[in-house]
Amino acid sequence: MYLLNFIQKNCRKRWFWLLLATSALALESVALFFQYEMKLSPCVMCVYERVALFGILFSCLTVYLSPKSLFWRLLGIILALISSIKGILISLKHIDYQLHPSPWNQCEIIPNFPHWLPLDKWLPFLFQPTGSCSDIVWEYLGLSMPQWITIMFVTYIIIFTVILISQFIRIQPNRLIFHKND
């Protein structure tokens, strides 16, 4: 209960949402490091996973603008949860492409963005895929990149679920073990 009280009190402060946004931005930076410094080509699923992570980033920044407003907090939390859930679904499909490669189980070559939001045309350095989804090009501790991304999205789901739950509890007053006699 103490953790929920702590989260409820601090999620009304800007630093809390800036910290969450910074974590998403740091993970996006790691993706760019892998792409441009380690020369690992992102596939379509990698690009979709980036979009989900940007969804978390922008949701946190939305709440950052007005953290005291319950409406904006709930909107940001729900959007971040939706992005996290979508991200985990994408990463699980990506893992399936890697573990069960076949001519009938392959990802698209060109990203399928809406015509009104062609991210691959607007920001090709971020959203232009050049790799294959079934290739395992990097592993750490025996897990491939999509498996680590799944862990990342599970972590975000847990974080935003706890934050959402904390919005509906009553803050408990601090209880003193020893009371002063006045």
Side-chain angles (χ1 to χ4, degrees), residues 108-140:
E108 308 155 337
I109 297 171
I110 301 169
N112 190 15
F113 290 119
H115 68 86
W116 51 269
L117 190 67
L119 294 175
D120 58 324
K121 306 286 188 275
W122 292 349
L123 300 168
F125 70 97
L126 280 176
F127 301 113
Q128 184 65 49
T130 55
S132 172
C133 296
S134 60
D135 293 343
I136 299 175
V137 295
W138 180 86
E139 283 185 312
Y140 181 69

Side-chain angles (χ1 to χ4, degrees), residues 73-84:
R73 272 197 325 270
L74 288 177
L75 179 67
I77 294 165
I78 290 168
L79 289 175
L81 266 172
I82 290 169
S83 293
S84 301

Side-chain angles (χ1 to χ4, degrees), residues 45 93-101 105-107 133-134:
M45 299 306 275
K93 185 65 178 166
H94 193 173
I95 292 169
D96 181 52
Y97 288 142
Q98 288 187 341
L99 296 180
H100 306 102
N105 192 27
Q106 293 184 6
C107 63
C133 296
S134 60

Side-chain angles (χ1 to χ4, degrees), residues 30-88:
V30 168
L32 291 175
F33 174 81
F34 279 112
Q35 180 177 350
Y36 290 107
E37 291 299 317
M38 294 182 67
K39 307 294 184 209
L40 302 179
S41 300
C43 65
V44 170
M45 299 306 275
C46 298
V47 167
Y48 293 157
E49 291 158 353
R50 284 183 187 181
V51 172
L53 192 53
F54 271 115
I56 294 169
L57 172 65
F58 290 125
S59 298
C60 293
L61 291 176
T62 300
V63 182
Y64 173 80
L65 296 175
S66 185
K68 294 185 192 290
S69 166
L70 179 62
F71 171 78
W72 290 110
R73 272 197 325 270
L74 288 177
L75 179 67
I77 294 165
I78 290 168
L79 289 175
L81 266 172
I82 290 169
S83 293
S84 301
I85 291 167
K86 185 65 177 173
I88 199 168

Side-chain angles (χ1 to χ4, degrees), residues 15-33:
W15 70 264
F16 185 84
W17 296 101
L18 186 60
L19 180 65
L20 286 169
T22 303
S23 73
L25 184 61
L27 290 166
E28 290 289 357
S29 299
V30 168
L32 291 175
F33 174 81

